[in-house]
C-alpha cells in the first residue's frame, strides 16, 4: 500500500486561502513572498483580502493555487516529510500538474509561478470573450458524451475537457456547439447539463494558441526529472522524464484531463491514500466517488498539516 500527493486545480480558490499558513509558519510565508517577487505583484494581498473577481481571474488563480500547495509542501518538508521517502507518485488536476511538478523538484518555485502566469494569460487570450464555452454533463457515460460531441461538430469544436469521475464530464469548445451538445445530452438522458461560468473554453482545440505559448515558455525554463513519477493528466500513467513531461504539459492545454482514469490507476496500483495538498477538498471528494478503496485526505490548514505529519512520520 502506498501514498500519492495530489494537487487541486482552478475552482478551488477562495479569498483568504493560505493566510493562516503564512501566519503560522515562516516556511509558508517565504513561499508567498517568493511568488510575489517572481510575478512582481502582491498576489498574496489578493489571495488573502480579495476582491474575489481579481482572485478568480485565470492569470491570478493559477499561480495563487500553486502557491498555497507549495506553502503546505514546504511546511511538511520542514517537519521532516520527504516526498521521495514517503510518497510514491504525484498528480495534479490541470494547473495542479504544475504544483505537483514543483513539489517533486521538476521546476523551481519562481519558474512555476511565472509558467502559470504565462499559462493563465495565454489561455485567457486564446479565444475572444463570448466565443467559447464549457458545460458539465452529469449522468452520461464517457462514450455517450463523446458521441454527443461528435454529433455537434458541424456546428463547431466540442470535446471532453475533464473526465472528473462519478458521472461528471466537462465539455469545452465553441459556444454554439457546447450549447447544442448540452441540450442534446439532456435529450439522451443526462441528469443535468449545466453551462459553466468560465471565461474561456479550457482543454479544447480552441486553446491551440495557448499551447504554442506554453511550448515556448517551457523551452526556456530549467527542467529536472521529478523525484517521484507524475501521473500525467493526458496519459493517466506515470512519467518521469523531464523532456517528456514538458511535452505532455503542452498537450494538456488542448487535451483532456483524465482524472477518473488517474484515480482508477492509483487504485489498480496499490495506492490507497491520496493526500490533497492545497486549497479546498475537491479532489478528495472526487476520489471517494471514483474508487471506494482509495481514501482522500485534504491538507490545507495548520491542523491538517499537524495530523498529516503525525500519520506520515508515525
Amino acid at each position: 500500500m502506498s501514498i500519492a500527493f495530489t494537487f487541486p486545480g482552478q475552482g478551488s480558490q477562495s479569498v483568504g486561502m493560505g493566510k493562516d499558513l503564512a501566519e503560522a509558519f515562516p516556511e509558508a510565508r517565504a513561499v508567498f513572498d517568493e511568488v510575489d517577487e517572481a510575478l512582481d505583484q502582491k498576489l498574496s494581498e489578493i489571495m488573502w483580502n480579495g476582491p474575489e473577481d481579481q482572485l478568480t481571474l485565470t492569470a491570478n488563480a493559477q499561480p495563487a493555487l500553486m502557491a498555497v500547495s507549495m506553502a503546505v509542501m514546504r511546511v511538511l518538508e520542514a517537519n521532516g516529510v520527504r516526498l521521495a521517502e514517503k510518497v510514491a507518485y504525484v498528480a495534479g488536476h490541470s494547473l495542479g500538474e504544475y504544483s505537483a511538478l514543483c513539489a517533486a523538484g521538476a521546476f523551481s518555485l519562481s519558474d512555476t509561478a511565472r509558467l502559470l502566469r504565462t499559462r493563465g494569460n495565454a489561455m485567457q487570450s486564446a479565444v475572444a470573450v463570448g466565443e467559447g464555452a464549457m458545460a458539465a454533463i452529469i449522468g452520461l457515460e464517457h462514450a455517450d458524451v463523446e458521441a454527443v460531441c461528435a454529433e455537434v461538430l458541424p456546428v463547431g469544436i466540442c470535446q471532453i475537457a475533464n473526465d472528473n469521475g462519478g458521472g461528471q464530464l466537462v465539455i469545452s469548445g465553441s459556444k454554439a456547439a457546447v450549447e447544442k451538445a448540452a441540450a442534446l445530452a439532456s435529450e439522451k438522458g443526462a441528469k443535468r447539463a449545466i453551462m459553466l461560468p468560465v471565461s474561456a473554453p479550457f482543454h479544447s482545440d480552441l486553446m491551440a494558441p495557448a499551447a504554442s505559448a506554453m511550448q515556448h515558455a517551457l523551452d526556456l525554463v530549467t527542467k529536472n526529472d521529478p523525484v517521484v513519477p507524475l501521473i500525467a493528466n493526458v496519459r493517466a500513467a506515470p512519467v518521469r522524464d523531464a523532456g517528456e513531461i514538458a511535452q505532455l504539459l503542452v498537450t494538456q492545454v488542448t487535451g483532456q484531463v483524465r482524472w477518473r482514469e488517474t484515480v482508477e490507476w492509483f487504485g489498480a496500483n496499490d495506492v490507497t491514500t491520496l493526500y490533497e495538498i492545497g486549497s479546498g477538498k475537491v479532489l478528495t471528494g472526487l476520489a471517494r466517488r471514483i474508487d471506494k478503496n482509495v481514501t482522500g485526505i485534504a491538507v490545507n490548514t495548520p491542523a491538517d498539516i499537524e495530523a498529516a505529519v503525525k500519520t506520515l512520520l508515525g
Side-chain angles (χ1 to χ4, degrees):
M1 296 188 293
S2 54
I3 290 166
F5 278 7
T6 64
F7 297 81
Q10 208 160 332
S12 290
Q13 70 275 0
S14 61
V15 172
M17 66 180 188
K19 189 174 185 181
D20 55 347
L21 300 176
E23 291 171 348
F25 306 108
E27 299 86 2
R29 181 77 214 199
V31 168
F32 298 121
D33 288 345
E34 186 174 339
V35 169
D36 285 352
E37 186 175 347
L39 299 178
D40 196 22
Q41 174 199 17
K42 285 290 286 183
L43 181 60
S44 58
E45 182 69 25
I46 296 170
M47 291 166 61
W48 298 338
N49 300 308
E52 187 174 2
D53 61 340
Q54 287 297 306
L55 178 60
T56 305
L57 289 174
T58 301
N60 288 333
Q62 295 197 16
L65 284 161
M66 182 277 299
V68 177
S69 291
M70 286 308 301
V72 174
M73 279 300 308
R74 291 284 166 83
V75 177
L76 288 172
E77 289 164 358
N79 281 275
V81 177
R82 300 282 176 266
L83 191 74
E85 295 170 7
K86 297 295 179 182
V87 176
Y89 304 98
V90 293
H93 193 286
S94 192
L95 85 88
E97 196 153 77
Y98 287 80
S99 308
L101 288 164
C102 184
F107 301 126
S108 73
L109 177 60
S110 293
D111 280 346
T112 309
R114 286 187 287 264
L115 283 169
L116 285 171
R117 171 56 53 82
T118 298
R119 186 177 183 269
N121 282 330
M123 290 174 115
Q124 192 60 65
S125 61
V127 180
V129 174
E131 289 186 8
M134 299 179 78
I137 309 298
I138 314 294
L140 283 186
E141 295 297 321
H142 191 281
D144 296 326
V145 177
E146 273 193 330
V148 166
C149 291
E151 200 168 327
V152 303
L153 274 179
V155 179
I157 287 171
C158 183
Q159 63 201 88
I160 296 174
N162 301 339
D163 180 356
N164 288 329
Q168 182 197 110
L169 294 120
V170 177
I171 58 174
S172 181
S174 66
K175 188 168 186 285
V178 170
E179 287 175 341
K180 186 173 178 63
L184 199 56
S186 293
E187 290 173 19
K188 292 183 181 292
K191 292 176 184 174
R192 297 177 74 192
I194 312 152
M195 298 301 293
L196 298 177
V198 295
S199 54
F202 305 126
H203 299 290
S204 78
D205 288 344
L206 294 174
M207 290 285 108
S212 297
M214 291 315 298
Q215 176 78 69
H216 178 67
L218 286 159
D219 282 346
L220 297 178
V221 299
T222 300
K223 297 173 281 290
N224 305 302
D225 293 345
V227 296
V228 297
L230 170 80
I231 309 302
N233 281 181
V234 296
R235 189 173 288 177
V239 192
R240 201 164 187 171
D241 177 75
E244 189 177 4
I245 285 169
Q247 203 49 54
L248 292 174
L249 288 172
V250 175
T251 304
Q252 187 228 61
V253 177
T254 58
Q256 184 182 148
V257 177
R258 295 165 60 183
W259 197 254
R260 171 183 58 83
E261 292 171 84
T262 296
V263 175
E264 288 174 347
W265 189 93
F266 284 138
N269 288 274
D270 209 26
V271 178
T272 54
T273 308
L274 305 181
Y275 283 86
E276 181 177 1
I277 307 296
S279 183
K281 300 180 178 181
V282 171
L283 301 183
T284 298
L286 291 178
R288 194 176 301 118
R289 293 208 296 271
I290 294 167
D291 189 333
K292 294 288 190 289
N293 296 316
V294 174
T295 301
I297 300 172
V299 185
N300 53 45
T301 67
D304 292 340
I305 291 171
E306 185 181 352
V309 169
K310 280 183 182 174
T311 304
L312 289 166
L313 298 183

